[in-house]
Structure formats: C-alpha cells, structure tokens
Amino acid sequence: MKYLGLFILMSMLSIHKTIRAQSEKNPFGLVYEGAITENVDGKVNILPVRYKLNGIDIAANVYTPANYDRTKKYPAITIAHPNGGIKEQTAGLYAQHLAEAGYITITADAAYQGASGGQPRHMDKPQFRTEDIRGMADFISQYPGVDRERLGALGICGGGGYTLKAVQSDKRFKAVATLSMFNTGIVRKNGFLNSQISTIQERLKQASKAREQEAGGGEIVYSGVDGITDEELAKVSTLFYRQGYEYYFRTHAHPNSTFLYTTSSLMDLMAWNATDDIDLIDQPLLMIAGSNAQTLYLTLDAFPKATNSKSKELFLIEGATHIETYWKPEYVNQAVNKLVDFYQNHLSNTDL
C-alpha cells in the first residue's frame, strides 16, 4: 500500500510537470489550438489585464479585432469560463474567434480561482461567479473603443448557468448566449443526471461541518479532484467526466485549472438554481449544445423557461458531446458561426 501511494504521488507530480510545460510553450499561457503567440499589428491581439472587483484582484485577457482602432466603436462580449476552467482554455478559444469576427472580447478567471485573487482558494459560490460576469462588463464597458450599448454575453458550461443568472437583472447585456450550459446548482444538489437525490441532506451536513471547521480556523476541506492518474482515468465510466478529465488534465491542461472547490461552497450551490427567475431575461437568447452531450438535459430544462426573451433559439450541434464543443474544430466552427450570426443580428454594427 505504501508503494502504491508513492506510485500515485509520482504519477501526479509527472502530470503537473506536463501541465506546466504545456502552458509555458505559449507566452500568454494559452493552451488551445491556434492560440495567439505574439501580438502583431493588423491582427487580433491579446492584452492581459488586472482590475479590482469588490476588493479582489481579477486576472483577465482582452482580445481586440484585427486593425483595432481605439477611436472607433466596437461591440463587446464577455465570456464566462466553465467550472474548473480558466481563461486560457476554451473561454480563450471562443474569445479569440469572436475577436476575429470583429468583437472586443474579455474572459476573466473567476474570483478565488485561476490567476485571480481571493481566499480561500477555489471557493465556488454562485453569487461570486455571477458577480464575476458583471465585473467583466464593468471593465470592458470602459475599454477604449467599446460601444456600451452593444454588449453581449457568452457563458460556457458552468459559466453558461451563471451568465443566465447575471443577465436576468443586468440589462447592460443586449444579447445572451450559452454553450453547453451546466446548471451547477441543480447538479451539485441532485447529482449529475439526478444520481444523488437520496444523499442531499447528508451532503448538506458535510458542507455545514466543513464551514464550521473553517470558521474555527481549521483546515479548508475540498471536494472534487486536482488531477487523475491514467489508471483512475481508465475506470471513469461517465463519458462527460472522462472527456472532461482528458481535456483539463491531459490535452488542454494548465496549472491554474482544477476541479477542486471548497466543500463549504455546497451550502450556497445546492440552494441555487440558474433557472430561478429566468423569466426576467427579456434579451435575445441563444442556447447551443451538442446533440450527444450528457448535459443536454440541463439546456433543455432551461430553454423553455425563458418565456420573456424577445427572441430565443436552441441550436444543437449534431454529434457533439459537451467537452467536444470546447475544442473539436468541426464543432467549434459551427458554434462560432452561429454565435457570430446571433450577435450580428442583435448587436448590429455596420463595421463588422
């Protein structure tokens, strides 16, 4: 047993070394295919920025279109990253593609996560994730060249659920889209595919004990995982999680990305639902998901509840799973093309 533990430890150290090397290849830490490697005049550029949100340092990347001219006016889009994700992964990929289509885009690491500040690390409370999106809107609305009247939002996975919540009351956003939306509160409460309904009260008690321990100055208790060995990965039977682990810990790994979150966060997450008050959304709404995504049930649950959206559309990418919409070129291209059409229709700009 002792040697098995040592083997697992060595495997995890090897995995993290690989993660570090992969992100260090790109000067901006980007880990997606086709990522910007240098800022060139006349092309899409990336600018790492930091700003304060409720006293916390937020790390973000701003992407500007080719031939960006700060004296002109451009529509802008905020992109909220998935659970466990950071700005250098799929959120950055979509931010770059949308900038290529003529938008100024911003994607930020959530407070308490990634390169952003906040203690304890990896706190994952829905009110903070929602505020992160509003914070991106605050910053990008003041950015040179941004037309504040043409602000859109895109949320991916968990960022999609939080985006649905943010735009319910924040009417600065004029058009809203989600990709592979994940209603984190419902899944944390009921379990993925409603597999943990019988243990709701037990898990709430565990979360409460974790908070009690934190309040007493004890060790922070975490749920989730921060890596996975090849042996463990081979045993993961749920496709969504297996592909997620492959994406985050192998093919698109980054040292700031983790599936860990404070167990006490469940006190807030399990009492939260992205679709509560979703009828407050009156902006145009586009929800995109893969037809083969095991998370599709979450988009199908939310979409009909947005009864007051001025114009809404559900777009399924045939054959795509949840994670494949993050990176697979044929699926990403379909999503980007649909998003560009959507934003052009609702954030009209004769310069695009």
Side-chain angles (χ1 to χ4, degrees):
M1 198 62 156
K2 173 183 175 184
Y3 295 109
L4 177 61
L6 181 60
F7 171 76
I8 292 173
L9 176 61
M10 294 301 291
S11 296
M12 296 310 299
L13 289 173
S14 176
I15 289 168
H16 281 285
K17 190 179 292 184
T18 302
I19 289 173
R20 196 172 296 110
Q22 196 170 16
S23 63
E24 287 174 354
K25 290 179 183 177
N26 183 286
F28 304 105
L30 308 174
V31 295
Y32 55 85
E33 185 177 354
I36 296 170
T37 57
E38 62 176 331
N39 285 327
V40 178
D41 287 344
K43 295 187 177 182
V44 169
N45 281 199
I46 180 174
L47 177 67
V49 299
R50 298 192 76 89
Y51 54 87
K52 290 282 189 182
L53 179 63
N54 300 318
I56 294 175
D57 280 319
I58 300 297
N61 286 331
V62 173
Y63 294 73
T64 53
N67 299 307
Y68 164 68
D69 181 345
R70 60 189 294 135
T71 67
K72 293 183 178 179
K73 289 296 184 182
Y74 302 83
I77 300 170
T78 62
I79 294 118
H81 64 67
N83 294 337
I86 50 165
K87 63 187 181 300
E88 290 86 358
Q89 294 166 324
T90 187
L93 172 65
Y94 279 89
Q96 182 172 322
H97 279 314
L98 289 169
E100 290 165 356
Y103 298 87
I104 294 177
T105 59
I106 181 172
T107 181
D109 287 339
Y112 306 95
Q113 301 175 28
S116 291
Q119 294 290 338
R121 299 306 297 161
H122 313 310
M123 188 153 55
D124 194 29
K125 297 188 177 185
Q127 60 269 36
F128 297 148
R129 289 295 307 270
T130 303
E131 183 68 1
D132 291 330
I133 296 163
R134 295 178 180 136
M136 283 193 282
D138 293 342
F139 182 86
I140 206 65
S141 294
Q142 306 302 318
Y143 199 82
V146 167
D147 184 345
R148 300 176 196 174
E149 296 304 312
R150 290 184 289 160
L151 178 63
L154 170 62
I156 306 171
C157 182
Y162 297 124
T163 295
L164 290 179
K165 181 58 66 176
V167 302
Q168 290 175 13
S169 57
D170 196 333
K171 300 306 177 180
R172 291 177 296 178
F173 293 103
K174 302 303 190 294
V176 186
T178 65
L179 174 68
S180 299
M181 194 278 294
F182 190 87
N183 189 342
T184 309
I186 287 296
V187 176
R188 296 292 180 259
K189 176 186 174 187
N190 294 338
F192 187 56
L193 297 170
N194 299 317
S195 60
Q196 294 179 286
I197 292 176
S198 63
T199 62
I200 290 173
Q201 294 302 326
E202 176 186 340
R203 287 180 287 117
L204 282 171
K205 289 175 183 175
Q206 291 171 352
S208 300
K209 284 187 176 297
R211 175 156 181 159
E212 183 178 51
Q213 183 168 306
E214 290 175 23
E219 183 179 350
I220 305 296
V221 181
Y222 289 95
S223 295
V225 297
D226 188 32
I228 190 168
T229 65
D230 290 341
E231 291 77 9
E232 292 167 334
L233 183 59
K235 295 177 183 177
V236 177
S237 59
T238 304
L239 180 64
F240 168 58
Y241 287 116
R242 186 169 70 251
Q243 289 188 336
Y245 294 149
E246 289 170 348
Y247 179 89
Y248 285 110
F249 298 134
R250 299 292 191 274
T251 62
H252 295 75
H254 191 287
N256 288 344
S257 175
T258 177
F259 280 123
L260 288 182
Y261 59 93
T262 58
T263 300
S264 59
S265 296
L266 290 170
M267 294 174 63
D268 299 86
L269 284 165
M270 292 173 68
W272 183 86
N273 187 336
T275 65
D276 285 349
D277 297 317
I278 196 171
D279 60 311
L280 290 174
I281 296 178
D282 64 348
Q283 302 97 317
L285 173 66
L286 169 65
M287 300 191 74
I288 303 174
S291 67
N292 287 351
Q294 289 181 308
T295 56
L296 177 58
Y297 75 102
L298 297 166
T299 290
L300 295 180
D301 174 71
F303 184 76
K305 294 177 180 177
T307 54
N308 290 323
S309 172
K310 293 172 182 173
S311 171
K312 66 176 184 174
E313 181 180 358
L314 173 65
F315 181 73
L316 297 184
I317 302 175
E318 188 62 35
T321 66
H322 181 109
I323 298 297
E324 286 173 337
T325 65
Y326 290 11
W327 67 272
K328 205 163 190 177
E330 57 263 45
Y331 300 142
V332 170
N333 290 340
Q334 288 183 58
V336 169
N337 289 338
K338 190 66 181 178
L339 287 165
V340 170
D341 287 345
F342 173 73
Y343 290 126
Q344 284 182 345
N345 286 335
H346 300 291
L347 303 174
S348 59
N349 182 0
T350 55
D351 295 331
L352 290 182

